[in-house]
Amino acid sequence: LRSGVRIVVPGGNAQDRFAADDLRKGLRARGVRIGSSPAAVSIYLLRDDSALARDVLRRAHETFDPAMGPEGYVLVTQPHEAFVIGHTAAGIFYGAQTLKQLVRTGGTGPILQGAVIRDWPAMRWRGVHDDLSRGPVPTLAFQERQIRTFAAYKINVYPPYFENTMQYASNPLPALPGGSMSADDAKELVSFARRYHVTIIPEQEAIGHLHKVLLWQKYAPLAEIPFGAVLAPGQPGSLQMITQDFDELAGIYPGPFLHIGADETFELGQGQTAAEVQQQGRGAVYIDYLLRIHQALAPLHRRLLFWGDMAMSSPDLVPKLPHDMIAVAWEYDPEPNGYAPWIDPYTHAGMETWVSPGVNNWRKVWPNFDDGLRNIQGFTADGQKAGCPGMLNTVWDDDGEGLFLQDWYGILFGAAAAWQPGTSSIPQFAHDFGPVFHGDESGDIDAAQQALIDAQNALVRAGLNGAQDDYFWIDPWSGEGQEIAAKILPVSAEVRLDAERALTLLAHARATGKLRHQQALDAMDLGARRIA
C-alpha cells in the first residue's frame, strides 16, 4: 500500500458511501495514504447483484447465497485491487471492517494481506450490555466512540442499562442532573448508531434494582420492603410508573426491542406481597407480574427482553409466558459442565432465548479475563448449539469504580465468539488482539495482557477473588485487612512482578510508534499500577 488506496463505490448508495468514508478513516489511522495515484490500490464496495461483483465472484470461485444472510460478505484482495461484496449495506460495512484488519504494519509501510474471505455471522444479535447506573455515566461523545468501535468488530446491539439514569418527563425525580442521560442525547445516539448498523435496546429495570428510585418519598409506597429495591407487584402505582417510563422509551428508541430487566428480585414476598407469595409461591407471583407488564406494554408493539435468572427456578411456570418475549439467560462463571441449565428452561418451552456472559470486570481494579473469556467462550458456544440467535456480553460497575476502557479485551472476544460458529479459540484471540486492536506488531501488548491474567490467577490461587477493589481500599490494620494481607503475602512478590512486567511491556510497545486506542492503554496501565 505504499502508493496509497482509492475507494470506489460504483452503485453510489448513500449507506455504501458511508461505509467507504468509514473505511478511509480506518485506513488513514493505519498509516495508509488515500489518493488517486495511478499506482494506488483500488478498493471496490459492491452489491452482489452488480455485473462487476458477479465477475469477481466467478473468478474467485466463490458464491453469494441466501445462507449468508443480510450481514454476510465476500472479500477478495489482489495485488492491485480489493473487492468487498455484500447483499446489503450491513454486509458491505462488515466486509470493510475485515479489510481494515487485514492491514498490518510492514518494514516499508502498511501492507494489505492477500485473502479470499466468505463470511457471515453465527448469531443474528451480537451485543455489549453496558451498566450506566452504578459506574460513571458516559458522555454522548464517549458513547459515540463506543458505537464506532463496536461496529468495527461487527457488534450490532448496544443495550444501555438504566435504574435511575434515564431522564423521564413523567417521572423526573430519580434521574439526577449531570448523572443521567437526556432524551435528546439518546435520540442523537440512536441516529448515530443506525449509521453503524447498531440497534440500541434500552434496559429499564421494571421490578428489581430500583432502590435509587424507591428512596424518593413519592415512590416509597411502591417498594416491596421499606428502603428496598423491588417494586411491589400489588401496588397499582408500580405498573403505572413502569408503563409511563416505557412509553417514553419507545418514543426515544425506535428499535424492535425493549428490555425490562426483572432480575434478582429476591425481596419479593418479604413485604407487601408476603401473603400472595405464601399462598401462590414466589415463582407464580413473579411470572404473573411479568404477564401484567407484557399486557400493559403491548400497545408499544415491541418484543420484551427479560433476565432469565428468576423464572428459571420455576420451569413448570415458564410456558405461561408469552412466546413473543425473549429470555436472556445469564451466568458469569466458567462452567465446565456447560450452560444448559440456564438455557433449557426457556428453549424447551419454545421461547426465543439469548445468552449473556460477562467480561468479569465488576468490583475489580482490572478484569479477571481468564474467567471472563472462558465464560464467554463456553456460554456463547452452548447458546449457538441451542439455537439462540442473540448474545449480550455484559459490563457491570457494581461498586462504581468500573472503567469501560479496561474492558475491551473481553468485549472483543465476545464479538468474535458471537460472530464465529462453534467454540472460539482463546489462544488465537490472545495472539491477534494486540495487532488488530492496537496496531502492535511487537507482541508486547498481548504479553502484557497475559501478565495481568497471571497476576489475577496468582491471587485466586491464594484464596482471593482476584484483584478486588475492596483489597485495594481496605484498611490494612483492620482485622479483615490483616486476614487479606496474610493470604496475599505468599504470592505478593509474584503478583507484583507480573504487574511490573505488564507495565514494562506496555512502555516498550508504546515506544515502538503510534498505537491505536491509547486511552485503553492508559486504562491498562492504571490497572497494572493498582495491582502492583
Side-chain angles (χ1 to χ4, degrees), residues 92-130:
I92 286 177
F93 182 85
Y94 290 139
Q97 305 316 304
T98 297
L99 190 146
K100 292 180 194 176
Q101 296 178 30
L102 293 178
V103 176
R104 296 293 179 88
T105 302
T108 58
I111 297 171
L112 177 61
Q113 298 174 330
V116 176
I117 298 172
R118 184 172 176 266
D119 193 21
W120 64 95
M123 304 181 84
R124 172 67 182 89
W125 303 106
R126 309 168 301 279
V128 177
H129 181 281
D130 190 11

Coordinates of all heavy atoms in Angstrom, one line a residue, residues 92-130:
I92 N -21.7 -5.0 3.3 CA -20.6 -4.2 2.8 C -19.9 -3.6 3.9 O -18.6 -3.6 3.9 CB -21.1 -3.2 1.8 CG1 -21.5 -3.9 0.4 CG2 -20.1 -2.1 1.5 CD1 -22.1 -3.0 -0.6
F93 N -20.6 -3.0 4.9 CA -19.9 -2.4 6.0 C -19.0 -3.4 6.8 O -17.9 -3.1 7.1 CB -21.0 -1.8 6.9 CG -20.4 -1.1 8.1 CD1 -20.0 0.3 8.0 CD2 -20.2 -1.7 9.3 CE1 -19.5 1.0 9.1 CE2 -19.7 -1.0 10.4 CZ -19.3 0.3 10.3
Y94 N -19.5 -4.6 7.0 CA -18.8 -5.6 7.8 C -17.6 -6.1 7.0 O -16.5 -6.3 7.5 CB -19.7 -6.7 8.2 CG -20.6 -6.3 9.3 CD1 -22.0 -6.7 9.3 CD2 -20.3 -5.4 10.3 CE1 -22.9 -6.3 10.3 CE2 -21.2 -5.0 11.3 CZ -22.5 -5.5 11.3 OH -23.3 -5.1 12.2
G95 N -17.8 -6.2 5.7 CA -16.6 -6.6 4.8 C -15.5 -5.6 4.9 O -14.3 -5.9 4.9
A96 N -15.9 -4.3 4.9 CA -14.9 -3.2 5.0 C -14.2 -3.2 6.4 O -13.0 -2.9 6.4 CB -15.6 -1.8 4.8
Q97 N -14.9 -3.6 7.4 CA -14.2 -3.7 8.7 C -13.2 -4.8 8.7 O -12.1 -4.7 9.3 CB -15.3 -4.0 9.8 CG -16.4 -3.1 9.9 CD -16.0 -1.6 9.8 OE1 -15.2 -1.1 10.6 NE2 -16.6 -0.9 8.8
T98 N -13.5 -5.9 8.1 CA -12.5 -7.0 8.0 C -11.3 -6.6 7.1 O -10.1 -6.9 7.4 CB -13.1 -8.3 7.3 OG1 -14.2 -8.8 8.2 CG2 -12.1 -9.4 7.2
L99 N -11.6 -5.8 6.1 CA -10.4 -5.3 5.2 C -9.5 -4.5 6.1 O -8.3 -4.6 6.0 CB -11.0 -4.5 4.1 CG -10.0 -4.1 3.0 CD1 -10.6 -4.1 1.6 CD2 -9.3 -2.8 3.3
K100 N -10.0 -3.6 7.0 CA -9.2 -2.9 7.9 C -8.2 -3.8 8.7 O -7.0 -3.5 8.8 CB -10.0 -2.1 8.9 CG -10.8 -0.9 8.4 CD -11.6 -0.3 9.5 CE -12.7 0.6 9.1 NZ -13.5 1.1 10.3
Q101 N -8.8 -4.9 9.1 CA -8.0 -5.8 10.0 C -6.9 -6.5 9.2 O -5.9 -7.0 9.8 CB -8.9 -6.8 10.6 CG -9.9 -6.2 11.6 CD -10.8 -7.2 12.2 OE1 -10.4 -8.4 12.4 NE2 -12.0 -6.8 12.5
L102 N -7.0 -6.5 7.9 CA -6.0 -7.2 7.0 C -4.8 -6.3 6.8 O -3.8 -6.7 6.2 CB -6.6 -7.6 5.7 CG -7.7 -8.7 5.7 CD1 -8.2 -9.0 4.3 CD2 -7.1 -10.0 6.3
V103 N -4.9 -5.0 7.2 CA -3.8 -4.1 7.0 C -2.9 -4.2 8.2 O -3.3 -4.0 9.4 CB -4.3 -2.6 6.9 CG1 -3.1 -1.7 6.8 CG2 -5.2 -2.5 5.6
R104 N -1.7 -4.6 8.0 CA -0.7 -4.7 9.0 C 0.6 -3.8 8.7 O 0.8 -3.5 7.5 CB -0.2 -6.2 9.2 CG -1.3 -7.1 9.6 CD -1.8 -6.8 11.0 NE -2.9 -7.6 11.5 CZ -2.7 -8.8 12.1 NH1 -1.5 -9.3 12.3 NH2 -3.8 -9.5 12.5
T105 N 1.3 -3.5 9.7 CA 2.5 -2.7 9.5 C 3.7 -3.5 9.1 O 4.1 -4.5 9.7 CB 2.9 -2.0 10.8 OG1 1.7 -1.2 11.3 CG2 4.0 -1.0 10.7
G106 N 4.2 -3.2 7.9 CA 5.4 -3.9 7.4 C 6.6 -3.0 7.6 O 6.6 -1.9 8.0
G107 N 7.8 -3.5 7.1 CA 9.0 -2.8 7.3 C 9.1 -1.5 6.5 O 9.7 -0.6 6.8
T108 N 8.4 -1.5 5.3 CA 8.4 -0.3 4.5 C 7.1 0.4 4.5 O 6.8 1.3 3.6 CB 8.7 -0.8 3.0 OG1 7.8 -1.7 2.6 CG2 10.1 -1.4 3.0
G109 N 6.2 0.0 5.4 CA 4.9 0.7 5.4 C 3.8 -0.3 5.6 O 4.0 -1.5 5.7
P110 N 2.5 0.2 5.6 CA 1.4 -0.7 5.7 C 1.2 -1.7 4.6 O 1.5 -1.3 3.4 CB 0.2 0.2 5.8 CG 0.7 1.5 5.2 CD 2.1 1.6 5.4
I111 N 0.8 -2.9 4.9 CA 0.7 -4.0 3.9 C -0.7 -4.5 4.0 O -1.2 -4.8 5.1 CB 1.7 -5.1 4.2 CG1 3.1 -4.6 4.0 CG2 1.4 -6.3 3.3 CD1 4.2 -5.6 4.5
L112 N -1.4 -4.7 2.9 CA -2.7 -5.4 2.8 C -2.5 -6.8 2.5 O -2.0 -7.2 1.5 CB -3.6 -4.7 1.8 CG -5.0 -5.4 1.6 CD1 -5.8 -5.3 2.8 CD2 -5.7 -4.7 0.4
Q113 N -2.9 -7.7 3.5 CA -2.7 -9.1 3.3 C -3.6 -9.7 2.3 O -4.8 -9.3 2.2 CB -2.9 -9.8 4.7 CG -1.9 -9.4 5.8 CD -2.3 -10.0 7.1 OE1 -3.4 -10.2 7.4 NE2 -1.2 -10.2 7.9
G114 N -3.1 -10.6 1.5 CA -3.9 -11.2 0.5 C -4.9 -12.2 1.1 O -4.5 -12.9 2.0
A115 N -6.1 -12.2 0.6 CA -7.1 -13.2 1.2 C -8.3 -13.2 0.3 O -8.6 -12.3 -0.5 CB -7.5 -12.7 2.5
V116 N -9.0 -14.4 0.4 CA -10.3 -14.5 -0.2 C -11.2 -15.0 1.0 O -10.9 -16.1 1.6 CB -10.4 -15.5 -1.3 CG1 -11.9 -15.7 -1.8 CG2 -9.6 -15.1 -2.5
I117 N -12.1 -14.2 1.4 CA -12.9 -14.5 2.6 C -14.4 -14.5 2.3 O -14.9 -13.5 1.6 CB -12.7 -13.4 3.7 CG1 -11.2 -13.5 4.1 CG2 -13.6 -13.6 4.9 CD1 -10.8 -12.3 5.1
R118 N -15.1 -15.5 2.7 CA -16.6 -15.6 2.5 C -17.1 -15.8 4.0 O -16.8 -16.8 4.6 CB -16.9 -16.8 1.7 CG -18.4 -17.0 1.4 CD -18.6 -18.1 0.3 NE -20.0 -18.3 0.1 CZ -20.7 -19.3 0.7 NH1 -20.1 -20.1 1.6 NH2 -22.0 -19.5 0.4
D119 N -17.8 -14.8 4.5 CA -18.0 -14.7 5.9 C -19.5 -14.2 6.2 O -20.0 -13.4 5.5 CB -17.0 -13.8 6.5 CG -16.9 -13.8 8.0 OD1 -17.3 -14.8 8.6 OD2 -16.4 -12.8 8.6
W120 N -20.0 -14.8 7.3 CA -21.3 -14.3 7.8 C -21.4 -14.7 9.2 O -20.7 -15.6 9.7 CB -22.5 -14.8 7.0 CG -22.7 -16.3 7.0 CD1 -23.5 -17.0 7.8 CD2 -22.0 -17.3 6.1 NE1 -23.4 -18.4 7.5 CE2 -22.5 -18.6 6.5 CE3 -21.1 -17.2 5.1 CZ2 -22.1 -19.7 5.9 CZ3 -20.6 -18.4 4.5 CH2 -21.1 -19.6 4.9
P121 N -22.3 -14.1 10.0 CA -22.4 -14.3 11.5 C -23.1 -15.6 11.8 O -24.1 -16.0 11.2 CB -23.1 -13.1 12.0 CG -24.0 -12.7 10.9 CD -23.3 -13.0 9.6
A122 N -22.6 -16.2 12.9 CA -23.3 -17.3 13.5 C -24.5 -16.9 14.3 O -25.5 -17.7 14.4 CB -22.3 -18.1 14.4
M123 N -24.5 -15.7 14.9 CA -25.6 -15.3 15.7 C -26.1 -13.9 15.1 O -25.3 -13.0 14.8 CB -25.2 -15.1 17.1 CG -24.7 -16.4 17.7 SD -24.2 -16.3 19.5 CE -25.8 -16.6 20.2
R124 N -27.5 -13.8 15.1 CA -28.1 -12.6 14.5 C -27.8 -11.3 15.3 O -27.6 -10.3 14.8 CB -29.6 -12.8 14.3 CG -30.4 -11.6 13.8 CD -30.0 -11.2 12.4 NE -30.7 -10.0 12.0 CZ -30.2 -8.7 12.2 NH1 -29.1 -8.5 12.8 NH2 -30.9 -7.7 11.7
W125 N -27.9 -11.5 16.6 CA -27.8 -10.3 17.5 C -26.5 -10.5 18.4 O -26.4 -11.5 19.1 CB -29.0 -10.1 18.4 CG -30.3 -10.0 17.6 CD1 -31.2 -11.0 17.4 CD2 -30.7 -8.9 16.8 NE1 -32.2 -10.5 16.6 CE2 -31.9 -9.2 16.2 CE3 -30.1 -7.6 16.6 CZ2 -32.6 -8.3 15.4 CZ3 -30.8 -6.7 15.7 CH2 -32.0 -7.1 15.2
R126 N -25.6 -9.5 18.3 CA -24.3 -9.6 19.0 C -24.1 -8.3 19.7 O -23.9 -7.3 19.1 CB -23.2 -9.8 18.0 CG -23.5 -11.0 17.0 CD -22.6 -11.1 15.8 NE -22.6 -9.9 15.0 CZ -23.5 -9.6 14.1 NH1 -24.5 -10.5 13.9 NH2 -23.4 -8.5 13.4
G127 N -24.2 -8.4 21.1 CA -24.3 -7.1 21.8 C -23.3 -6.9 23.0 O -22.7 -7.9 23.4
V128 N -23.2 -5.7 23.4 CA -22.5 -5.3 24.6 C -23.5 -4.6 25.5 O -24.0 -3.5 25.1 CB -21.3 -4.4 24.3 CG1 -20.6 -4.0 25.6 CG2 -20.3 -5.2 23.5
H129 N -23.7 -5.2 26.7 CA -24.7 -4.6 27.6 C -23.9 -3.8 28.6 O -23.0 -4.3 29.4 CB -25.4 -5.7 28.3 CG -26.5 -5.3 29.3 ND1 -26.1 -4.9 30.6 CD2 -27.8 -5.2 29.2 CE1 -27.2 -4.6 31.2 NE2 -28.3 -4.8 30.4
D130 N -24.1 -2.5 28.7 CA -23.3 -1.6 29.5 C -24.0 -1.0 30.6 O -25.1 -0.3 30.5 CB -22.8 -0.5 28.5 CG -21.7 0.4 29.1 OD1 -21.2 0.0 30.2 OD2 -21.4 1.4 28.6

